[in-house]
């Protein structure tokens, strides 16, 4: 949902940076890899130590690469022509981006869960973060499997953007002193919305295959 409404804004915001990266010879794949591993390392280092705010700041900086690599891949040539990418390059770029997105998702929720299960002293929050990790995996898998079968499953209340934005925002605020009960409520809402999204996707695929 957020993807559809925010894409135009962030495309306009990051296009100048994308042009600069292309002039420097940086490819979309490099941006994807650097951004993903930057987010992963930031989460693995900061969250288990309880640095929830600064960890969120670092992760957020790298997360923006998820938008930047797509913008970079779609930039027209200097003469205004369309970017020249083979079908193989497009397929590889899409596969790499989606695979690393899943790794980033798992690490973010897992690192938050680790902190609250250990030094954070809130095993209930840790368990909820793990539940969201599992449900998010089901949501993503349902769409990927449907698309591999030539079907559509791009629907739902809690797509990746919603899950990551809400996790980062409220984890960061918790690090600034917001009561953890707010994050607890947000994780419950996310878990319910993710479960509902998975069911929506199952229902949509069933409707397309009925007959």
């Amino acid at each position: 949902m957020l993807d559809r409404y925010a894409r135009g804004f962030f495309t306009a915001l990051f296009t100048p940076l994308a042009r600069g990266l292309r002039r420097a010879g940086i490819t979309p794949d490099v941006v994807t890899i650097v951004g993903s591993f930057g987010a992963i390392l930031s989460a693995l280092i900061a969250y288990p130590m309880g640095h929830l705010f600064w960890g969120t700041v670092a992760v957020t900086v790298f997360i923006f690469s998820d938008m930047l690599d797509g913008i970079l891949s779609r930039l027209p040539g200097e003469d205004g022509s369309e970017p020249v990418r083979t079908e193989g390059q497009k397929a590889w770029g899409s596969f790499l981006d989606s695979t690393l997105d899943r790794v980033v998702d798992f690490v973010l929720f897992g690192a938050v869960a680790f902190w609250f299960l250990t030094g954070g002293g809130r095993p209930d929050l840790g368990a909820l973060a793990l539940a969201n990790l599992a449900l998010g995996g089901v949501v993503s898998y349902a769409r990927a499997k449907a698309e591999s079968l030539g079907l559509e499953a791009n629907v739902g209340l809690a797509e990746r953007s919603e899950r990551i934005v809400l996790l980062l925002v409220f984890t960061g605020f918790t690090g600034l002193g917001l009561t953890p009960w707010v994050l607890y409520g947000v994780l419950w809402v996310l878990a319910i919305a993710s479960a509902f999204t998975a069911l929506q996707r199952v229902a949509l695929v069933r409707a397309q295959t009925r007959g």
Side-chain angles (χ1 to χ4, degrees):
M1 195 179 301
L2 280 178
D3 279 343
R4 290 188 283 273
Y5 292 109
R7 188 178 299 277
F9 170 77
F10 284 108
T11 297
L13 182 65
F14 289 120
T15 293
L17 177 57
R19 290 196 181 103
L21 290 173
R22 187 176 64 180
R23 285 193 292 269
I26 305 298
T27 67
D29 288 350
V30 170
V31 174
T32 299
I33 292 169
V34 170
S36 297
F37 279 95
I40 289 167
L41 291 175
S42 297
L44 289 177
I45 292 171
Y47 286 160
M49 297 174 64
H51 301 311
L52 302 184
F53 175 71
W54 290 112
T56 295
V57 171
V59 169
T60 300
V61 169
F62 287 110
I63 283 289
F64 278 124
S65 69
D66 193 41
M67 302 173 186
L68 188 58
D69 58 0
I71 296 169
L72 181 58
S73 70
R74 292 189 298 271
L75 280 179
E78 296 295 340
D79 59 355
S81 61
E82 290 298 315
V84 179
R85 300 184 77 203
T86 66
E87 290 303 314
Q89 288 173 325
K90 292 178 183 178
W92 165 248
S94 177
F95 172 81
L96 179 67
D97 186 57
S98 295
T99 301
L100 290 179
D101 280 352
R102 301 293 79 76
V103 177
V104 171
D105 294 353
F106 294 159
V107 168
L108 290 181
F109 281 100
V112 170
F114 182 87
W115 165 246
F116 284 111
L117 288 169
T118 56
R122 286 293 303 267
D124 54 343
L125 268 169
L128 270 175
L130 290 178
N132 274 281
L133 185 157
L135 288 166
V138 174
V139 169
S140 297
Y141 176 80
R143 176 178 174 179
K145 183 61 178 179
E147 291 179 348
S148 74
L149 298 171
L151 304 169
E152 292 290 331
N154 188 18
V155 296
L157 292 174
E159 298 183 81
R160 181 178 189 257
S161 297
E162 286 83 358
R163 297 195 303 271
I164 296 302
V165 167
L166 289 174
L167 176 71
L168 291 177
V169 167
F170 287 97
T171 296
F173 282 147
T174 301
L176 285 178
L178 181 68
T179 173
W181 286 107
V182 175
L183 179 60
Y184 179 83
V186 168
L187 289 177
W188 261 115
V189 170
L190 270 181
I192 294 169
S194 295
F196 185 70
T197 297
L199 291 174
Q200 282 182 294
R201 293 183 172 185
V202 170
L204 179 60
V205 170
R206 183 68 186 109
Q208 293 172 80
T209 57
R210 191 183 300 275

